[in-house]
Amino acid sequence: MSRLLLACVFALMSVVGIAGVASAQEAVNAPLAAQQTTAVNPAPSVNAPQEPSPEERAETKRKLWMGGIAVLLFVLVYYRNKKRWAVWRKERKAKKG
């Protein structure tokens, strides 16, 4: 079962990698006129990132909770199926042997 999980993770990483390379090639092949040019300022301004609004923080917190619950459910289903598979394999081996 761990081989199947490893294969799924590898496939997912490959898809993400290919998508990343494709988007990088699109950016390289973009026409030069479409790219922004910046004027050289004698005194660059400091544009520090601002603190997110309370609405953005609440949404981020909600998304993190949903992601954590999804991971927990995945782990629970994975181990339940792993136990079922082990029982099934044991019964199958007993029937054959």
Side-chain angles (χ1 to χ4, degrees):
M1 192 66 170
S2 62
R3 289 181 186 172
L4 178 63
L5 182 63
L6 184 64
C8 290
V9 169
F10 181 72
L12 183 63
M13 288 176 58
S14 299
V15 168
V16 170
I18 291 169
V21 170
S23 66
Q25 287 177 348
E26 288 176 9
V28 169
N29 295 335
L32 191 57
Q35 295 176 354
Q36 272 189 331
T37 58
T38 57
V40 179
N41 292 333
S45 63
V46 177
N47 189 9
Q50 303 297 316
E51 187 159 326
S53 67
E55 294 85 19
E56 289 176 350
R57 281 186 283 182
E59 184 179 352
T60 303
K61 196 178 211 182
R62 184 180 58 83
K63 287 180 181 179
L64 286 172
W65 272 105
M66 289 179 67
I69 290 169
V71 168
L72 179 67
L73 288 174
F74 173 78
V75 169
L76 289 173
V77 169
Y78 174 78
Y79 280 112
R80 183 200 61 179
N81 289 342
K82 186 176 178 182
K83 287 168 70 176
R84 282 185 175 181
W85 176 257
V87 169
W88 176 81
R89 202 172 12 172
K90 189 176 180 181
E91 289 174 358
R92 183 172 172 221
K93 188 176 179 182
K95 285 180 185 177
K96 283 187 176 182

